[in-house]
Amino acid sequence: MQIISDPREMQKTAEKLRMKHQLIAVVMTMGALHEGHLKLIQLARKKAGTVILTIFVNPRQFGEGEDFHRYPKPFDNDAAMAKTAGVDYLFAPEAAGMYPEDFQTTIATGDIASRLEGEQRPGHFNGVVTVVAKLLHITKPHIAVFGEKDAQQLAVIRRMVDDLNFDVSILEAPLMREEDGLAISSRNRYLSIDERQEATVLYRALMAAEDLVRKGCRESDALIEAARDVIGSVPDTETDYISLVDAATFREVDQLQDNHDYRMLLAVRIGTTRLIDNHRLSP
């Protein structure tokens, strides 16, 4: 595995791979790799002859008071995991390389990014799509693999790729969970032992909504209330949002229709740790 930190060197390397007719897949991460990331790499490995992993904690997608400065950065461990997983190139730039002093250009997101995470974290998705666009230009992949856990982010990236005619296929990987249902996330390591147990309430809330759908409930308010009741049963939780949206447009719905896909999305604080989760509901 080759480790590259300079964007121009990575770009030249990717261009040489393309000239040799190598099919390239990229997996973009902020490091602190876990089993979920390894599954993304595994999927990329199945789809392409060359796998590029990026590790970059992007300062432009963190808001004031968020966890940018304490976000875990175990680079040596990440590099070892990446090598074992079969990554060919690890691109790990510095912030100064991605955003030089005179950097001025960003991408503005639209309707999908205006709600939920976009409302809670102003400017977040502009920072996400700007860095994703840069990483796509630098690594020149044919395929980019993203996880389903960040469902709204995935939808925003798909919209950008379609709107701006990026020559890349976006491949969605299923959300990975621990045995007790907690969605695998780098931020889980912030949780204390007790908070880790309490965090399973997110999955239990989603399952409460799914159970109602299976019993015939189609009212959005009732499904959201069921999830809210489960979360409220655990002390020291604070709900940022619970929303039920059309899986394609991410617009909120009042009533579920049969044979159509929806997602319930939620963001909940367990102690000082903010966790997001989502689940597809298909009546």
Side-chain angles (χ1 to χ4, degrees), residues 7 38 47 60 84 92 96 100 105-106 110 155 177 184 186 262 266 280:
L38 298 183
K47 297 295 183 179
R60 289 180 174 251
T84 301
T105 306
T106 59
R177 297 187 181 277
I184 295 175
S186 298
Y262 303 90
L266 44 80
R280 189 181 293 271

Side-chain angles (χ1 to χ4, degrees), residues 63-109:
E64 185 177 350
E66 293 186 350
D67 58 344
F68 173 69
H69 293 293
R70 71 183 184 114
Y71 197 87
K73 302 176 182 68
F75 182 78
D76 290 342
N77 184 65
D78 286 348
M81 290 177 67
K83 184 176 181 179
T84 301
V87 169
D88 298 294
Y89 296 90
L90 172 55
F91 178 52
E94 298 292 333
M98 293 293 283
Y99 302 114
E101 189 174 340
D102 60 346
F103 186 86
Q104 300 178 34
T105 306
T106 59
I107 297 175
T109 51

Side-chain angles (χ1 to χ4, degrees), residues 245-249 257-263 280-283:
V245 302
D246 183 288
T249 66
Q257 303 296 322
D258 287 350
N259 303 312
H260 196 83
D261 286 340
Y262 303 90
R263 278 190 189 275
R280 189 181 293 271
L281 297 174
S282 302

Side-chain angles (χ1 to χ4, degrees), residues 3-178:
I3 300 176
I4 300 174
S5 60
D6 179 66
R8 291 194 181 278
E9 181 185 351
M10 182 71 256
Q11 202 166 39
K12 289 178 181 178
T13 299
E15 183 61 24
K16 289 178 181 178
L17 289 167
R18 276 185 165 255
M19 293 293 287
K20 294 178 181 178
H21 304 289
Q22 284 290 313
L23 192 65
I24 303 170
V26 67
V27 177
M28 300 181 189
T29 79
M30 293 203 298
L33 301 184
H34 50 62
E35 186 64 27
H37 294 125
L38 298 183
K39 289 295 184 182
L40 300 184
I41 295 169
Q42 187 180 72
L43 182 57
R45 183 85 271 166
K46 290 179 179 178
K47 297 295 183 179
T50 299
V51 176
I52 301 174
L53 178 76
T54 72
I55 294 180
F56 180 59
V57 182
N58 177 32
R60 289 180 174 251
Q61 68 188 68
F62 287 81
E64 185 177 350
E66 293 186 350
D67 58 344
F68 173 69
H69 293 293
R70 71 183 184 114
Y71 197 87
K73 302 176 182 68
F75 182 78
D76 290 342
N77 184 65
D78 286 348
M81 290 177 67
K83 184 176 181 179
T84 301
V87 169
D88 298 294
Y89 296 90
L90 172 55
F91 178 52
E94 298 292 333
M98 293 293 283
Y99 302 114
E101 189 174 340
D102 60 346
F103 186 86
Q104 300 178 34
T105 306
T106 59
I107 297 175
T109 51
D111 182 61
I112 295 175
S114 67
R115 299 177 292 277
L116 305 173
E117 287 297 287
E119 185 176 359
Q120 292 287 323
R121 306 172 67 188
H124 168 69
F125 282 125
N126 288 353
V128 169
V129 296
T130 298
V131 78
V132 168
K134 286 176 67 67
L135 290 171
L136 289 175
H137 287 311
I138 291 167
T139 60
K140 297 179 179 284
H142 301 87
I143 300 166
V145 184
F146 292 93
E148 188 183 20
K149 176 179 174 293
D150 296 303
Q152 187 180 13
Q153 173 179 285
L154 177 58
V156 170
I157 291 170
R158 283 190 187 279
R159 187 73 268 161
M160 178 195 73
V161 166
D162 289 345
D163 288 348
L164 301 184
N165 301 104
F166 276 79
D167 186 20
V168 64
S169 296
I170 302 298
L171 185 60
E172 178 179 329
L175 188 154
M176 294 290 297
R177 297 187 181 277
E178 303 285 0

Side-chain angles (χ1 to χ4, degrees), residues 193-213:
I193 294 175
D194 289 341
E195 288 171 342
R196 170 62 184 76
Q197 180 60 38
E198 291 173 348
T200 62
V201 73
L202 278 76
Y203 180 65
R204 288 188 279 118
L206 293 169
M207 291 302 97
E210 178 169 282
D211 185 56
L212 279 183
V213 171

